[in-house]
Amino acid sequence: MKINVSVFGEVNGNTVNAFTLNNANGMSVTLLNYGGIIKDITVPNAEGKPIHCVQTFDTLQEYIDDPSYRSAIVGRYANRIGHGTFCLNGTQYTLDKNGGEHNLHGGFAGFHKKIWQASTNELDNSASVTFKLHSPDGEGGFPGNVKVEACYTLNNNNELSLELSATTDKETPLSFTQHAYFTLSNDDKVGSTLLHIDAEQVTDADSSLLPTGKLVDIGGTPFDFLSLTPIEKRASQQASHALFDMVGGYDHNYVLRAAKGSEPQATVMAPDTGISMELFTTLPGLQFYTGSLDSDEQLGALCLEPQHFPDAPNKPAFPNCFVKPEETFKAAIRYKFRAG
């Protein structure tokens, strides 16, 4: 498989390249070394028509100006850390408050606005782009010099995988995610898209979407996607829930069940295009995001963000998110696309 490299733009004197990976089935993926962004995923449907499966911008400046983390790698810590602070080994750390009263997606110096070093690897049945980044001690208020590596690989099975790893010289919380805005359907809204999430609980949250520490059983609520169900059917059902009503849609962390063999943690399917996507991850949580479904400015896309739980640095009962110098953070995300 081959990788085509082209210049996409320049920021602060640094060249931003676009890396386009093409497989034998006509699927292509374009990546940027700005933000580790997935600029495009194109999958032919059963009739051979190319379907663009993520929202995209045409210019680098649009990505620079974008406040929504569009298809970027997010870090140092995906989602919220409450009130921009946490305590570790007797030291109180003060973080950027860039999400209301909370730290959001790593703060003002997040990975999504960084230039990453890139290298490529072409094999017969796959092609990879590896992005590397150094986050210095104290960036955004976080401790530790952190070295991050993110390897995207496209293969001839229509699978796009993202292998994430990081090391640190001081204990620190780490949680990275991929913030793609998926558009498998041609519809302007996501209501007709079918969704499955392998979870029976979400993390409870207050009015600022900060977890309370409790877990909420979701059977029979608008959050219940244990079976493949149209989003609008679940969202408009009579039995609502205060957590759902607070958003008017979805912006919630799902507590993923333990992996069962080769079964995905989530599945998305668009009946109008026939394109489906299975998501596999080793991370314990999955943020499902649509924004408000009642707004005239509805996203027209959905986000499925594998992650550690929001505010886990302040919630000892949540899965551990701290990484020590003698450890290596590792996480995997894999998307498998099917046409009809």
Side-chain angles (χ1 to χ4, degrees):
M1 290 174 57
K2 293 292 184 182
I3 300 174
N4 298 318
V5 184
S6 60
V7 175
F8 188 64
E10 185 178 294
V11 58
N12 298 327
N14 297 297
T15 298
V16 174
N17 286 325
F19 302 82
T20 300
L21 292 61
N22 297 278
N23 73 7
N25 307 315
M27 177 178 171
S28 67
V29 174
T30 299
L31 310 166
L32 304 179
N33 62 315
Y34 179 80
I37 285 169
I38 299 175
K39 183 186 180 297
D40 190 28
I41 299 174
T42 301
V43 180
N45 67 8
E47 289 75 41
K49 179 184 177 181
I51 305 298
H52 294 279
C53 295
V54 294
Q55 285 184 342
T56 186
F57 292 128
D58 294 328
T59 67
L60 177 59
Q61 192 60 48
E62 288 173 290
Y63 283 108
I64 293 171
D65 295 340
D66 175 44
S68 65
Y69 308 88
R70 194 78 44 126
S71 294
I73 295 173
V74 171
R76 282 189 183 194
Y77 199 90
N79 217 305
R80 293 164 179 83
I81 296 179
H83 310 290
T85 187
F86 67 91
C87 188
L88 176 60
N89 300 325
T91 299
Q92 192 82 18
Y93 291 94
T94 301
L95 313 174
D96 296 335
K97 289 185 178 180
N98 64 313
E101 281 299 302
H102 309 308
N103 179 267
L104 178 65
H105 289 333
F108 296 114
F111 294 173
H112 63 297
K113 299 297 185 184
K114 302 285 191 182
I115 299 289
W116 297 60
Q117 293 181 328
S119 59
T120 61
N121 186 35
E122 299 173 341
L123 299 174
D124 289 342
N125 295 310
S126 67
S128 302
V129 180
T130 299
F131 295 122
K132 294 183 179 181
L133 184 69
H134 172 244
S135 179
D137 184 24
E139 186 170 57
F142 289 93
N145 289 290
V146 175
K147 295 180 179 179
V148 185
E149 187 169 302
C151 180
Y152 287 99
T153 301
L154 176 66
N155 65 25
N156 282 327
N157 295 320
N158 282 10
E159 294 174 321
L160 175 64
S161 63
L162 173 57
E163 299 286 337
L164 296 158
S165 63
T167 58
T168 179
D169 60 1
K170 292 181 183 178
E171 187 172 1
T172 193
L174 294 177
S175 176
F176 314 142
T177 194
Q178 219 305 324
H179 208 305
Y181 284 65
F182 291 105
T183 56
L184 274 61
S185 171
N186 290 323
D187 289 349
D188 292 335
K189 297 187 177 182
V190 299
S192 65
T193 298
L194 279 65
L195 176 68
H196 153 73
I197 300 177
D198 193 29
E200 296 175 306
Q201 295 177 312
V202 295
T203 47
D204 187 31
D206 64 18
S207 60
S208 68
L209 297 180
L210 187 72
T212 64
K214 299 177 181 178
L215 304 182
V216 175
D217 293 332
I218 58 176
T221 75
F223 301 108
D224 185 355
F225 289 97
L226 265 180
S227 59
L228 196 63
T229 305
I231 292 171
E232 62 186 357
K233 178 180 179 180
R234 193 59 77 219
S236 62
Q237 67 179 50
Q238 284 189 326
S240 192
H241 194 283
L243 262 181
F244 177 84
D245 295 340
M246 189 167 62
V247 175
Y250 297 96
D251 192 6
H252 304 85
N253 174 62
Y254 280 71
V255 180
L256 294 174
R257 299 197 294 188
K260 298 188 292 291
S262 59
E263 295 183 21
Q265 278 69 54
T267 303
V268 184
M269 199 276 278
D272 62 328
T273 64
I275 300 292
S276 65
M277 181 190 79
E278 295 174 332
L279 183 151
F280 304 81
T281 186
T282 58
L283 287 160
L286 184 72
Q287 190 82 4
F288 172 37
Y289 175 58
T290 63
S292 172
L293 293 171
D294 299 324
S295 169
D296 290 336
E297 298 179 358
Q298 207 273 311
L299 294 174
L302 62 91
C303 299
L304 294 170
E305 309 158 49
Q307 60 182 7
H308 276 287
F309 291 4
D311 204 32
N314 294 309
K315 301 286 192 297
F318 285 178
N320 175 57
C321 65
F322 290 101
V323 178
K324 298 178 180 179
E326 64 270 21
E327 300 170 339
T328 299
F329 171 92
K330 289 184 178 294
I333 304 169
R334 178 165 54 95
Y335 312 100
K336 184 175 179 62
F337 291 86
R338 303 179 192 274

PDB file of all heavy atoms in Angstrom, residues 23 93 95 104 112 131 149 151 175 186 217 219-220 223 227 230:
ATOM      1  N   ASN A  23      -6.303   1.873   0.335  1.00  0.00           N
ATOM      2  CA  ASN A  23      -6.195   0.410   0.335  1.00  0.00           C
ATOM      3  C   ASN A  23      -6.735  -0.177  -0.965  1.00  0.00           C
ATOM      4  O   ASN A  23      -7.180   0.542  -1.868  1.00  0.00           O
ATOM      5  CB  ASN A  23      -6.849  -0.203   1.578  1.00  0.00           C
ATOM      6  CG  ASN A  23      -8.374  -0.172   1.556  1.00  0.00           C
ATOM      7  OD1 ASN A  23      -9.003   0.184   0.559  1.00  0.00           O
ATOM      8  ND2 ASN A  23      -8.978  -0.565   2.669  1.00  0.00           N
ATOM      9  N   TYR A  93      -2.282  20.279  42.035  1.00  0.00           N
ATOM     10  CA  TYR A  93      -1.952  20.807  40.713  1.00  0.00           C
ATOM     11  C   TYR A  93      -3.107  21.663  40.207  1.00  0.00           C
ATOM     12  O   TYR A  93      -4.272  21.265  40.291  1.00  0.00           O
ATOM     13  CB  TYR A  93      -1.658  19.671  39.736  1.00  0.00           C
ATOM     14  CG  TYR A  93      -0.377  18.936  40.055  1.00  0.00           C
ATOM     15  CD1 TYR A  93      -0.385  17.787  40.843  1.00  0.00           C
ATOM     16  CD2 TYR A  93       0.848  19.411  39.597  1.00  0.00           C
ATOM     17  CE1 TYR A  93       0.789  17.122  41.154  1.00  0.00           C
ATOM     18  CE2 TYR A  93       2.042  18.748  39.902  1.00  0.00           C
ATOM     19  CZ  TYR A  93       1.992  17.612  40.684  1.00  0.00           C
ATOM     20  OH  TYR A  93       3.171  16.952  40.994  1.00  0.00           O
ATOM     21  N   LEU A  95      -4.752  23.493  36.959  1.00  0.00           N
ATOM     22  CA  LEU A  95      -4.795  23.348  35.504  1.00  0.00           C
ATOM     23  C   LEU A  95      -5.538  24.506  34.863  1.00  0.00           C
ATOM     24  O   LEU A  95      -6.201  25.288  35.536  1.00  0.00           O
ATOM     25  CB  LEU A  95      -5.494  22.024  35.136  1.00  0.00           C
ATOM     26  CG  LEU A  95      -5.057  20.766  35.878  1.00  0.00           C
ATOM     27  CD1 LEU A  95      -5.950  19.586  35.481  1.00  0.00           C
ATOM     28  CD2 LEU A  95      -3.597  20.455  35.613  1.00  0.00           C
ATOM     29  N   LEU A 104     -10.761  21.091  30.298  1.00  0.00           N
ATOM     30  CA  LEU A 104     -11.396  20.294  29.245  1.00  0.00           C
ATOM     31  C   LEU A 104     -10.365  19.897  28.194  1.00  0.00           C
ATOM     32  O   LEU A 104      -9.655  20.758  27.644  1.00  0.00           O
ATOM     33  CB  LEU A 104     -12.530  21.080  28.597  1.00  0.00           C
ATOM     34  CG  LEU A 104     -13.258  20.399  27.436  1.00  0.00           C
ATOM     35  CD1 LEU A 104     -14.000  19.152  27.932  1.00  0.00           C
ATOM     36  CD2 LEU A 104     -14.226  21.357  26.754  1.00  0.00           C
ATOM     37  N   HIS A 112      -4.489  18.873  20.259  1.00  0.00           N
ATOM     38  CA  HIS A 112      -5.233  19.103  19.014  1.00  0.00           C
ATOM     39  C   HIS A 112      -4.736  20.326  18.243  1.00  0.00           C
ATOM     40  O   HIS A 112      -5.100  20.500  17.079  1.00  0.00           O
ATOM     41  CB  HIS A 112      -6.724  19.250  19.316  1.00  0.00           C
ATOM     42  CG  HIS A 112      -7.067  20.432  20.169  1.00  0.00           C
ATOM     43  ND1 HIS A 112      -6.610  20.565  21.457  1.00  0.00           N
ATOM     44  CD2 HIS A 112      -7.813  21.549  19.924  1.00  0.00           C
ATOM     45  CE1 HIS A 112      -7.054  21.697  21.973  1.00  0.00           C
ATOM     46  NE2 HIS A 112      -7.784  22.312  21.058  1.00  0.00           N
ATOM     47  N   PHE A 131       2.828   9.513  14.478  1.00  0.00           N
ATOM     48  CA  PHE A 131       2.999  10.886  14.940  1.00  0.00           C
ATOM     49  C   PHE A 131       3.618  10.863  16.333  1.00  0.00           C
ATOM     50  O   PHE A 131       3.225  10.049  17.183  1.00  0.00           O
ATOM     51  CB  PHE A 131       1.652  11.612  14.999  1.00  0.00           C
ATOM     52  CG  PHE A 131       0.993  11.813  13.662  1.00  0.00           C
ATOM     53  CD1 PHE A 131      -0.276  11.318  13.414  1.00  0.00           C
ATOM     54  CD2 PHE A 131       1.635  12.509  12.650  1.00  0.00           C
ATOM     55  CE1 PHE A 131      -0.898  11.524  12.192  1.00  0.00           C
ATOM     56  CE2 PHE A 131       1.032  12.716  11.417  1.00  0.00           C
ATOM     57  CZ  PHE A 131      -0.236  12.219  11.190  1.00  0.00           C
ATOM     58  N   GLU A 149       3.223   8.905  21.431  1.00  0.00           N
ATOM     59  CA  GLU A 149       3.302   8.328  20.090  1.00  0.00           C
ATOM     60  C   GLU A 149       1.919   7.845  19.685  1.00  0.00           C
ATOM     61  O   GLU A 149       1.217   7.197  20.470  1.00  0.00           O
ATOM     62  CB  GLU A 149       4.295   7.170  20.071  1.00  0.00           C
ATOM     63  CG  GLU A 149       4.585   6.615  18.693  1.00  0.00           C
ATOM     64  CD  GLU A 149       5.761   5.648  18.684  1.00  0.00           C
ATOM     65  OE1 GLU A 149       6.857   6.055  19.085  1.00  0.00           O
ATOM     66  OE2 GLU A 149       5.550   4.482  18.285  1.00  0.00           O
ATOM     67  N   CYS A 151       0.106   5.965  16.380  1.00  0.00           N
ATOM     68  CA  CYS A 151       0.320   5.293  15.097  1.00  0.00           C
ATOM     69  C   CYS A 151      -1.021   4.921  14.471  1.00  0.00           C
ATOM     70  O   CYS A 151      -1.767   4.096  15.011  1.00  0.00           O
ATOM     71  CB  CYS A 151       1.174   4.040  15.283  1.00  0.00           C
ATOM     72  SG  CYS A 151       1.493   3.150  13.727  1.00  0.00           S
ATOM     73  N   SER A 175      -5.006  10.521  29.518  1.00  0.00           N
ATOM     74  CA  SER A 175      -6.163   9.946  28.831  1.00  0.00           C
ATOM     75  C   SER A 175      -6.268  10.621  27.480  1.00  0.00           C
ATOM     76  O   SER A 175      -6.565  11.818  27.405  1.00  0.00           O
ATOM     77  CB  SER A 175      -7.449  10.156  29.631  1.00  0.00           C
ATOM     78  OG  SER A 175      -8.568   9.666  28.907  1.00  0.00           O
ATOM     79  N   ASN A 186     -26.038  10.379   4.885  1.00  0.00           N
ATOM     80  CA  ASN A 186     -26.121  11.619   4.117  1.00  0.00           C
ATOM     81  C   ASN A 186     -27.079  12.627   4.741  1.00  0.00           C
ATOM     82  O   ASN A 186     -27.159  13.765   4.286  1.00  0.00           O
ATOM     83  CB  ASN A 186     -26.575  11.329   2.684  1.00  0.00           C
ATOM     84  CG  ASN A 186     -25.511  10.607   1.877  1.00  0.00           C
ATOM     85  OD1 ASN A 186     -24.317  10.871   2.029  1.00  0.00           O
ATOM     86  ND2 ASN A 186     -25.936   9.684   1.022  1.00  0.00           N
ATOM     87  N   ASP A 217     -27.649   3.194  36.009  1.00  0.00           N
ATOM     88  CA  ASP A 217     -28.130   2.113  35.148  1.00  0.00           C
ATOM     89  C   ASP A 217     -29.016   2.716  34.055  1.00  0.00           C
ATOM     90  O   ASP A 217     -29.872   3.558  34.332  1.00  0.00           O
ATOM     91  CB  ASP A 217     -28.933   1.098  35.960  1.00  0.00           C
ATOM     92  CG  ASP A 217     -28.066   0.332  36.954  1.00  0.00           C
ATOM     93  OD1 ASP A 217     -26.859   0.168  36.686  1.00  0.00           O
ATOM     94  OD2 ASP A 217     -28.601  -0.082  37.998  1.00  0.00           O
ATOM     95  N   GLY A 219     -30.829   0.910  31.457  1.00  0.00           N
ATOM     96  CA  GLY A 219     -31.845   0.085  30.825  1.00  0.00           C
ATOM     97  C   GLY A 219     -33.182   0.811  30.754  1.00  0.00           C
ATOM     98  O   GLY A 219     -33.665   1.340  31.753  1.00  0.00           O
ATOM     99  N   GLY A 220     -33.780   0.881  29.555  1.00  0.00           N
ATOM    100  CA  GLY A 220     -35.077   1.510  29.383  1.00  0.00           C
ATOM    101  C   GLY A 220     -35.048   3.026  29.304  1.00  0.00           C
ATOM    102  O   GLY A 220     -36.096   3.659  29.161  1.00  0.00           O
ATOM    103  N   PHE A 223     -30.562   6.409  27.036  1.00  0.00           N
ATOM    104  CA  PHE A 223     -29.151   6.046  26.884  1.00  0.00           C
ATOM    105  C   PHE A 223     -28.951   4.586  26.480  1.00  0.00           C
ATOM    106  O   PHE A 223     -27.821   4.166  26.237  1.00  0.00           O
ATOM    107  CB  PHE A 223     -28.395   6.294  28.197  1.00  0.00           C
ATOM    108  CG  PHE A 223     -28.435   7.710  28.676  1.00  0.00           C
ATOM    109  CD1 PHE A 223     -29.199   8.071  29.775  1.00  0.00           C
ATOM    110  CD2 PHE A 223     -27.728   8.702  28.017  1.00  0.00           C
ATOM    111  CE1 PHE A 223     -29.246   9.380  30.219  1.00  0.00           C
ATOM    112  CE2 PHE A 223     -27.766  10.018  28.447  1.00  0.00           C
ATOM    113  CZ  PHE A 223     -28.527  10.359  29.548  1.00  0.00           C
ATOM    114  N   SER A 227     -28.833  -2.755  22.087  1.00  0.00           N
ATOM    115  CA  SER A 227     -29.142  -3.316  20.773  1.00  0.00           C
ATOM    116  C   SER A 227     -29.102  -2.186  19.751  1.00  0.00           C
ATOM    117  O   SER A 227     -29.318  -1.014  20.084  1.00  0.00           O
ATOM    118  CB  SER A 227     -30.520  -3.980  20.764  1.00  0.00           C
ATOM    119  OG  SER A 227     -31.528  -3.049  21.097  1.00  0.00           O
ATOM    120  N   PRO A 230     -32.130   3.065  16.105  1.00  0.00           N
ATOM    121  CA  PRO A 230     -32.032   4.431  15.579  1.00  0.00           C
ATOM    122  C   PRO A 230     -31.924   5.444  16.715  1.00  0.00           C
ATOM    123  O   PRO A 230     -32.665   5.372  17.707  1.00  0.00           O
ATOM    124  CB  PRO A 230     -33.346   4.608  14.814  1.00  0.00           C
ATOM    125  CG  PRO A 230     -33.789   3.221  14.481  1.00  0.00           C
ATOM    126  CD  PRO A 230     -33.352   2.372  15.636  1.00  0.00           C
TER     127      PRO A 230
END
